[in-house]
Amino acid sequence: MRLTRYFLPVLRETPAEAQIASHRLMLRAGMIRQASAGIYSWLPLGFKVLRRIEQIVHEEQQRAGHIPLLMPTLQSADLWRESGRYDDYGAEMLRIKDRHQRDMLYGPTNEELITDIFRSSVGSYKELPLTLYHIQWKFRDETRPRFGVMRGREFLMKDGYNFDLTVEDALHAYNRHMVSYIRTYERMGLKAIPMRADGGPIGGDHTHEFLVLAPTGESAVFYDRAVTDLTLGDRAIDYADRAAVSEIVDTWTAPYARTDERHDPDAFAEVPEDRRVEGRGIEVGQIFFFGTKYSEPMKAVVVNEQGERVPVQMGSHGIGVSRLVGAIIEASHDDKGIIWPEGVTPFGAGIVNLRQGDAATDAACEGLYSALTAAGIDPLYDDRDERAGAKFATMDLIGLPWRLTVGPRGLAAGKVELTSRRTGESEELTPEAAVARLRAIYARR
């Protein structure tokens, strides 16, 4: 994309309402604009990051054997009355009446609707196990929406639901989700720690939240520093191998790691003092096993091998897709702007032309643009007639992980400058070598 043809309404000044880094930088970088309190329009740069995150979530969910579908944003209140949650959920639920005065709601989550889909379609244990998921907009009417997309009222969320015959099968689904989530966050450049947490309005005592460490996090967290050294990396995972999946879960959940709701000071005191850490975290996902909480009242049953009708065992699993955009920025920025990890960056590299209109630099930039595009790296070419300082400031603000700087002096030696946004280190390379370096970097993603 050429910047002269792109819509990137960056701001010089930070709006007064922005209190945390991600909100400030998303507004300044032209990623979002507020439509009303807690509701945002996603502008092209922000929308591109959102779609990259969504794609990673889809890939890892399907790698784990989970099946995508799409449920509506509006739901019938009758289903929620059937489960007993319509009156219990509270003022966060946006309740609506349609033109026929039927009670509707803007879904904050989908346990009832997915259970209704299941019970009308599945009747035998032979059709289990089954895990369905979707990525859809949700609405929760927060009392004080703030912090941009971190605490908005409308948000994009992946929510998935497993249906299993036995508790053992359902716990394998729980473990499968935990491992797939760990891999999902790693691909986004995040260290997200699974922590024992409270079930909240969804229910269930068996639940973990995934938290990204950040000073602006809404949750107090207590953990053993050893958990931050764990990584899946390129490890091959057979999600059908229960023992292997359970072994990964045991490894990741053995070190002490809890949110403040489940914190046990006595157990925490047993962690070696030099590994005890208290901090704050941003919740980016949660997994639940709640057994028959919804299947019993909603009669989601199957016939088992003995011919008995039994309620299915269920769990739900969420990832805050839009919230992740803010969480990544909170975990990865500096005083100049955003620093995107390669896995979610809106553009793979930025090209800065130091002398726009000069035949040689224009030609070199066009050559780099074509070569990077052919390599699938999706460059952003700053072809504006602007000062070099303004171009560098824009690239630093929007946070592309790599910048290629093209100027007459470097070209005289047959070189361009490749700069890492994260480290600030630069290297002079031939254009061909620079493209090859970036191709190798992104081939590992």
Side-chain angles (χ1 to χ4, degrees):
M1 177 60 66
R2 290 168 169 78
L3 197 48
T4 54
R5 301 180 188 175
Y6 198 54
F7 182 60
L8 186 67
V10 298
L11 303 177
R12 294 183 182 275
E13 303 296 330
T14 300
E17 74 272 16
Q19 300 175 37
I20 62 173
S22 59
H23 194 190
R24 291 194 299 268
L25 292 171
M26 290 182 77
L27 289 170
R28 287 198 55 220
M31 295 179 66
I32 57 171
R33 286 292 180 270
Q34 181 169 296
S36 60
I39 301 175
Y40 292 87
S41 296
W42 288 79
L43 305 186
L45 194 75
F47 184 61
K48 200 162 189 186
V49 175
L50 194 67
R51 284 291 174 257
R52 291 202 186 280
I53 290 173
E54 187 177 350
Q55 183 61 33
I56 290 172
V57 173
H58 273 302
E59 289 172 1
E60 293 304 325
Q61 284 300 293
Q62 291 173 49
R63 183 181 293 181
H66 308 156
I67 303 169
L69 77 168
L70 185 63
M71 291 176 278
T73 56
L74 296 181
Q75 302 178 31
S76 168
D78 291 342
L79 287 174
W80 285 67
R81 290 191 176 106
E82 194 175 342
S83 73
R85 281 207 302 175
Y86 185 70
D87 295 320
D88 294 344
Y89 205 90
E92 286 187 356
M93 181 189 289
L94 182 62
R95 293 165 169 82
I96 306 164
K97 285 188 181 293
D98 68 11
R99 66 190 302 165
H100 301 292
Q101 297 304 300
R102 290 177 295 219
D103 290 327
M104 309 287 289
L105 58 98
Y106 193 133
T109 183
N110 283 77
E111 281 81 6
E112 285 79 3
L113 187 53
I114 196 71
T115 304
D116 183 54
I117 291 170
F118 175 87
R119 70 183 178 183
S120 65
S121 308
V122 178
S124 169
Y125 76 97
K126 294 180 181 179
E127 299 173 78
L128 302 180
L130 179 65
T131 296
L132 303 170
Y133 80 93
H134 73 158
I135 298 176
Q136 179 61 290
W137 291 96
K138 304 286 194 295
F139 189 91
R140 294 177 188 167
D141 202 0
E142 295 275 357
T143 304
R144 290 184 58 222
R146 60 193 189 279
F147 305 153
V149 301
M150 298 289 291
R151 186 67 69 84
R153 293 193 293 165
E154 185 184 53
F155 53 95
L156 188 63
M157 180 178 172
K158 172 263 163 180
D159 46 317
Y161 306 89
N162 67 282
F163 301 88
D164 290 279
L165 182 63
T166 68
V167 171
E168 292 74 22
D169 293 342
L171 289 177
H172 173 58
Y174 185 94
N175 290 344
R176 195 173 62 237
H177 277 85
M178 181 176 290
V179 174
S180 69
Y181 278 25
I182 292 168
R183 171 151 278 170
T184 296
Y185 298 128
E186 282 191 5
R187 286 187 59 189
M188 296 176 191
L190 288 172
K191 175 64 70 175
I193 303 172
M195 299 191 177
R196 295 192 182 277
D198 184 70
I202 291 177
D205 294 326
H206 201 75
T207 178
H208 282 81
E209 285 181 356
F210 291 80
L211 289 104
V212 173
L213 303 175
T216 52
E218 72 273 43
S219 300
V221 296
F222 305 82
Y223 62 95
D224 181 341
R225 195 186 305 277
V227 74
T228 61
D229 296 328
L230 299 173
T231 181
L232 286 178
D234 296 327
R235 176 175 175 175
I237 298 168
D238 179 359
Y239 284 100
D241 186 335
R242 296 194 178 198
V245 171
S246 179
E247 183 270 328
I248 295 172
V249 171
D250 290 344
T251 299
W252 280 76
T253 58
Y256 187 96
R258 300 191 184 188
T259 59
D260 51 354
E261 296 97 335
R262 298 293 297 272
H263 179 49
D264 181 345
D266 293 334
F268 190 52
E270 296 177 7
V271 176
E273 187 173 359
D274 63 331
R275 299 204 323 247
R276 262 181 256 153
V277 183
E278 299 181 28
R280 303 202 70 80
I282 300 167
E283 182 198 342
V284 291
Q286 190 164 4
I287 58 177
F288 304 84
F289 165 63
F290 41 67
T292 59
K293 175 180 172 66
Y294 299 92
S295 58
E296 280 192 347
M298 297 186 69
K299 298 179 174 58
V301 299
V302 294
V303 176
N304 66 14
E305 202 167 2
Q306 289 74 41
E308 304 165 327
R309 291 171 59 82
V310 295
V312 291
Q313 301 288 328
M314 291 178 59
S316 69
H317 320 89
I319 289 180
V321 175
S322 54
R323 170 177 268 237
L324 271 166
V325 181
I328 291 168
I329 295 172
E330 290 293 331
S332 187
H333 70 275
D334 60 17
D335 57 359
K336 295 178 182 178
I338 302 164
I339 306 173
W340 290 117
E342 282 89 351
V344 297
T345 181
F347 295 96
I351 302 171
V352 172
N353 188 337
L354 294 181
R355 189 169 292 178
Q356 194 70 40
D358 177 80
T361 56
D362 286 357
C365 288
E366 290 292 343
L368 282 170
Y369 185 86
S370 297
L372 290 169
T373 301
I377 294 172
D378 194 13
L380 179 65
Y381 173 22
D382 192 341
D383 58 343
R384 300 173 299 164
D385 187 15
E386 285 276 3
R387 295 177 296 103
K391 292 187 174 187
F392 290 146
T394 298
M395 286 294 175
D396 285 342
L397 174 62
I398 66 175
L400 307 187
W402 297 96
R403 185 185 75 223
L404 286 162
T405 305
V406 183
R409 184 178 299 176
L411 286 180
K415 301 292 182 64
V416 297
E417 186 179 69
L418 178 64
T419 303
S420 165
R421 174 69 179 88
R422 185 167 299 280
T423 67
E425 295 176 355
S426 295
E427 184 177 5
E428 290 192 345
L429 300 166
T430 65
E432 296 78 12
V435 171
R437 178 73 58 81
L438 290 172
R439 185 188 294 115
I441 289 168
Y442 283 100
R444 298 194 295 265
R445 303 294 161 184

